[in-house]
Amino acid sequence: MATQAATGVLAGLRIIELSAFVAVPLGGMTLAQLGAEVVRIDPPGGGLDYGRWPLTAEGASLYWAGLNKGKRSVTVDMRTDRGREIVRGLVTASGDGAGILVTNLSPRWLDYEQLRAERPDVIMVVLRGSPDGSIAVDYTVNAAAGYPSVTGAADDVVNHVLPAWDVVAGTLVATAVLAAERHRTRTGEGALVELSLADVAFATVGHLGHVGEVVVNDDDRPRYGNYLYGSFGKDFVTADGHRVMVTALTPRQWAALVAATDSATAMAELEDELGVDLIDEGARFAARERIAEILAAWCAQRPLDAVGAAFDAHRVCWGPYRSFRGLVEEDPRVDPDRNPMWALVEQPGIGTYPAPGSPLSFSSLPRVPVTAAPRLGADTGDVLAEVLDLGEEDLAALRGAGTI
Amino acid sequence: MATQAATGVLAGLRIIELSAFVAVPLGGMTLAQLGAEVVRIDPPGGGLDYGRWPLTAEGASLYWAGLNKGKRSVTVDMRTDRGREIVRGLVTASGDGAGILVTNLSPRWLDYEQLRAERPDVIMVVLRGSPDGSIAVDYTVNAAAGYPSVTGAADDVVNHVLPAWDVVAGTLVATAVLAAERHRTRTGEGALVELSLADVAFATVGHLGHVGEVVVNDDDRPRYGNYLYGSFGKDFVTADGHRVMVTALTPRQWAALVAATDSATAMAELEDELGVDLIDEGARFAARERIAEILAAWCAQRPLDAVGAAFDAHRVCWGPYRSFRGLVEEDPRVDPDRNPMWALVEQPGIGTYPAPGSPLSFSSLPRVPVTAAPRLGADTGDVLAEVLDLGEEDLAALRGAGTI
């Protein structure tokens, strides 16, 4: 692990993670896959997410394995005073790149002020559900955010399957750690950094213009099914029953789409009929159903191969719809032999399968090798020896007492 | 602007942004809203996203305003040699926290090696659609990622309305800048950092266990409609026709839900009948339709107020579904008087409306005030004077030539 960390851009950072579920584990892993040493702490037997679905036939969690790659795992009984003392000790241990905690659990005994008393420049990043302390998870935040009410074609709410807010918040946790650590390097000051899933989600709603639509335009965006809002984009069915997503956001993409589908005449007639210029994105959106008719007929006459070949030849912005299986089996961007972000990883208790590393590649440094998630508690002894200077006797006593 | 920057945790950083659409503008804004000086460069008249919908009645883009808050705006004619030289000069200007470019356009004349010749430790973060150079946007990447094929209840693909991959990638751009700048501070080395929307999306698919489901379990996850996968969560309708999302991910949340809905007896009977213990998340998922029947009947007999009161009294993890208008008008978490992340901002050319700042709050520092997006080109003269030391005569000549 020490060797791995030395290869990444974040070598020298040590983050203690007390977490469960998606966001904070992903935040920690984002840092680990860039070379930071990330120590995830769980109770013996595992935390709230240790058995989270999907599971293998043997009952191992593919979810847990996926979100804890490249970390070290320490198990401590945090119901005991000694266990809590160990966790606080790991968080507040000395060292330039140490003294950093990320958590979405933040139990009362792991209080920022108390940590700060032990290490004045400690950094603690805390993710909550809501800024007001009310309980919230990705799924309830998303319901309130407005998206399920405008997703899909039917007049019904449609939940996301992707826990998007968890993923964004987790990525922002990584940003928060680096921002706070930069500040600490320059000023010597630590920080308590707080964020919530709800703030992350609703800020995004604001950034993307939806709040302005309501307040400035006195509008409430309706659902547009699979049409892309404000320009042209839609799904189409090919002659052999495949589906493709086709977009034309820019003038160049629109020109490419018209050329690829031989529809210059039809589009010109449509422009004449409607008195618009379809090079304008708003005009394309207004005329979306008419445009779609023309393109649907073209796609319906050709199998996927021919559609894709014509689109690629003209550099149309398109892509096939795939199932997860289709993605894994057909998309070259998920092939470890063709994309260095992926590696075949042997995951203890699960087997060997392709796993992704960081989407970030740094020119001056080799990629951090993609490594498996640890076995639960595998690094307890090593970490306590390295960070807290505990000897074999101490560790044996802690094991005897069931603390670790 | 200098005053504002001085208040944030990233004070002292200067990022040059050559961008359009969501991801990189959001990445730049994430840094700007933490106090970095972010200079967005556009062609005179605006870039590809300057007229992106939603628009106000007067034709101003709420989208552009939303994604460029707190930045400075410089317009330069980049078709001219002098214009390109100015952009390269802004990117490679001296200064500890300067020398950073984020872009999703990366024209050939703005090449990393050339920038590096002018400033050896320059940092350039480049976002592309696909790692293999093929064209891709959020909507085509999402189609390939697998989610639209399992979203919704009907047997049809359902596109996301939220451009989730853009938002995640943009947040990761901010992470990349800080990781690279940390490395530069420690080693003196700059970096070309590359990422793609496709890698961000497909890495997430891997992290969340979907690749393992295919390769290890030989499974392809079907659609489960609005049910949360692997535990219990679903939407319900109240007596007065409102919809609520209810989840019970943890044993505590499950106990709260059973208590709030007075369904201990019904759930115990269900456990007996099925021979399962619903405290187990997998058992809840397997019995989801039976559980939903019990809860649906309970919700259907009560108006939203009563449902919410019972849920809150027991700390159930739930939330109402809202439209965007409902979010803005009803959710206290989006009220500038109650949530300091929000402020009423006067956006030039648009009006005054609530706008979000950073979801991150740093204990030791005041929040960076939420400020509007600049008028296009508003800072051109100031930035060129400050960073490139151009005098009034130089600026007048550039204006005369139409270069700025």
Side-chain angles (χ1 to χ4, degrees), chain A residues 349-363:
Chain A
I350 289 183
T352 300
Y353 61 107
S358 176
L360 300 177
S361 129
F362 290 78
S363 60

Side-chain angles (χ1 to χ4, degrees), chain A residues 8 69 80 96 113 179 191 194 279 292:
Chain A
K69 294 187 290 283
T80 68
D96 183 33
E113 289 305 328
E194 295 172 285
I279 207 73

Side-chain angles (χ1 to χ4, degrees), chain B residues 208-221:
Chain B
L208 292 174
H210 298 294
V211 174
E213 280 186 284
V214 171
V215 178
V216 178
N217 290 357
D218 192 21
D219 208 357
D220 202 6
R221 192 186 292 191

Side-chain angles (χ1 to χ4, degrees), chain A residues 15 20 28 31 70 74 114 160 197 241 243 261 265 280 301 357 363 373 385 388 395:
Chain A
I15 287 99
L31 298 166
V74 165
Q114 189 178 350
H160 287 179
L197 281 176
R243 279 183 181 273
T261 55
T265 308
D280 175 74
Q301 290 162 10
S363 60
L388 299 182
L395 294 173

Side-chain angles (χ1 to χ4, degrees), chain B residues 172-371:
Chain B
L172 199 55
V173 162
T175 308
V177 165
L178 296 177
E181 204 256 347
R182 181 178 191 275
H183 184 69
R184 184 171 73 177
T185 300
R186 278 162 179 72
T187 65
E189 278 179 15
L192 171 65
V193 191
E194 296 172 283
L195 73 161
S196 70
L197 281 178
D199 274 358
V200 168
F202 303 158
T204 305
V205 170
H207 297 333
L208 292 174
H210 298 294
V211 174
E213 280 186 284
V214 171
V215 178
V216 178
N217 290 357
D218 192 21
D219 208 357
D220 202 6
R221 192 186 292 191
R223 67 180 72 239
Y224 291 110
N226 282 346
Y227 283 106
L228 185 156
Y229 173 79
S231 187
F232 187 80
K234 194 188 179 302
D235 59 309
F236 294 98
V237 184
T238 62
D240 48 351
H242 292 278
R243 279 182 181 271
V244 293
M245 178 68 196
V246 178
T247 69
L249 281 166
T250 64
R252 188 191 294 180
Q253 287 172 2
W254 175 243
L257 180 58
V258 172
T261 55
D262 256 330
S263 60
T265 309
M267 295 301 175
E269 285 170 6
L270 182 57
E271 288 179 319
D272 283 348
E273 181 192 330
L274 302 176
V276 298
D277 184 347
L278 294 175
I279 206 75
D280 176 74
E281 61 199 318
R284 288 199 294 279
F285 183 61
R288 64 190 177 277
E289 294 184 353
R290 300 292 302 278
I291 295 171
E293 279 172 31
I294 296 168
L295 299 176
W298 186 89
C299 289
Q301 291 162 10
R302 290 161 178 82
L304 177 62
D305 282 356
V307 168
F311 283 169
D312 285 342
H314 288 85
R315 293 187 67 75
V316 170
C317 185
W318 77 286
Y321 284 85
R322 291 194 170 101
S323 68
F324 294 120
R325 183 186 291 276
L327 173 69
V328 173
E329 296 181 351
E330 293 164 27
D331 200 309
R333 295 170 291 187
V334 182
D335 180 348
D337 290 333
R338 300 169 76 171
N339 183 343
M341 185 179 78
W342 292 85
L344 280 175
V345 166
E346 194 191 326
Q347 180 62 52
I350 290 184
T352 299
Y353 62 108
S358 176
L360 300 177
S361 128
F362 290 77
S363 59
S364 54
L365 293 161
R367 278 180 180 270
V368 176
V370 189
T371 54

Side-chain angles (χ1 to χ4, degrees), chain A residues 9 11 13 21 29 33 51-56 62 66-67 69 130-131 135 137 139-140 143-151 156-159 161-165 167-168 171-172 175-176 178-179 181-183 185-186 189-195 198-199 202-203 207 210-221 226 228-230 235 243 245 247 249-250 281-282 285 315 317-318 320-325 327-328 333-334 339 341-342 353-354 356 359-364, chain B residues 9 11 13 21 26 29 33 51-56 62 66-67 69 130-131 135 137 139-140 143-151 156-159 161-165 167-168 171-172 175 178-179 181-183 185-186 189-195 198-199 202-203 207-208 210-221 226 228-230 235 243 245 247 249-250 281-282 285 315 317-318 320-325 327-328 333-334 339 341-342 353-354 356 359-364:
Chain A
V9 71
L13 272 188
F21 300 116
M29 190 167 72
Q33 294 200 316
R52 186 97 174 80
W53 285 34
L55 307 178
T56 64
L62 290 163
L67 288 163
K69 294 187 290 283
S130 276
I135 305 172
V137 295
Y139 314 93
T140 61
Y147 289 105
S149 300
V150 296
T151 300
D156 201 354
V157 295
V158 174
N159 287 352
V161 174
L162 172 72
W165 307 117
V167 176
V168 178
T171 308
L172 198 56
T175 308
L178 297 176
E181 204 257 345
R182 180 178 191 275
H183 184 68
T185 300
R186 279 164 176 72
E189 277 179 18
L192 170 64
V193 191
E194 295 172 285
L195 73 161
D199 274 356
F202 304 157
H207 296 334
H210 298 294
V211 174
E213 279 186 284
V214 172
V215 179
V216 179
N217 290 357
D218 192 20
D219 208 356
D220 202 6
R221 192 186 292 192
N226 282 345
L228 185 157
Y229 173 79
D235 60 309
R243 279 183 181 273
M245 178 69 197
T247 69
L249 282 166
T250 64
E281 60 199 318
F285 183 62
R315 293 187 67 76
C317 185
W318 76 286
Y321 283 85
R322 291 193 170 102
S323 68
F324 294 120
R325 183 186 290 279
L327 173 69
V328 174
R333 295 171 290 186
V334 182
N339 182 343
M341 184 179 77
W342 291 85
Y353 61 107
L360 300 177
S361 129
F362 290 78
S363 60
S364 54
Chain B
V9 70
L13 272 187
F21 301 113
L26 179 64
M29 190 168 71
Q33 293 199 317
R52 187 97 175 78
W53 286 35
L55 306 178
T56 64
L62 291 164
L67 288 163
K69 294 187 290 283
S130 276
I135 306 171
V137 295
Y139 314 92
T140 61
Y147 288 104
S149 301
V150 296
T151 299
D156 200 355
V157 295
V158 174
N159 287 352
V161 174
L162 171 73
W165 308 118
V167 177
V168 179
T171 308
L172 199 55
T175 308
L178 296 177
E181 204 256 347
R182 181 178 191 275
H183 184 69
T185 300
R186 278 162 179 72
E189 278 179 15
L192 171 65
V193 191
E194 296 172 283
L195 73 161
D199 274 358
F202 303 158
H207 297 333
L208 292 174
H210 298 294
V211 174
E213 280 186 284
V214 171
V215 178
V216 178
N217 290 357
D218 192 21
D219 208 357
D220 202 6
R221 192 186 292 191
N226 282 346
L228 185 156
Y229 173 79
D235 59 309
R243 279 182 181 271
M245 178 68 196
T247 69
L249 281 166
T250 64
E281 61 199 318
F285 183 61
R315 293 187 67 75
C317 185
W318 77 286
Y321 284 85
R322 291 194 170 101
S323 68
F324 294 120
R325 183 186 291 276
L327 173 69
V328 173
R333 295 170 291 187
V334 182
N339 183 343
M341 185 179 78
W342 292 85
Y353 62 108
L360 300 177
S361 128
F362 290 77
S363 59
S364 54

Side-chain angles (χ1 to χ4, degrees), chain B residues 94-150:
Chain B
S94 62
D96 183 32
I100 304 174
L101 170 68
V102 296
T103 185
N104 63 316
L105 303 176
S106 60
R108 240 167 261 174
W109 54 267
L110 201 61
D111 170 72
Y112 173 65
E113 290 304 330
Q114 189 178 350
L115 293 173
R116 203 179 166 195
E118 294 176 41
R119 176 165 172 157
D121 68 350
V122 72
I123 292 166
M124 178 174 181
V125 179
V126 181
L127 174 71
R128 296 200 173 80
S130 276
D132 58 11
S134 61
I135 306 171
V137 295
D138 181 279
Y139 314 92
T140 61
V141 162
N142 194 46
Y147 288 104
S149 301
V150 296

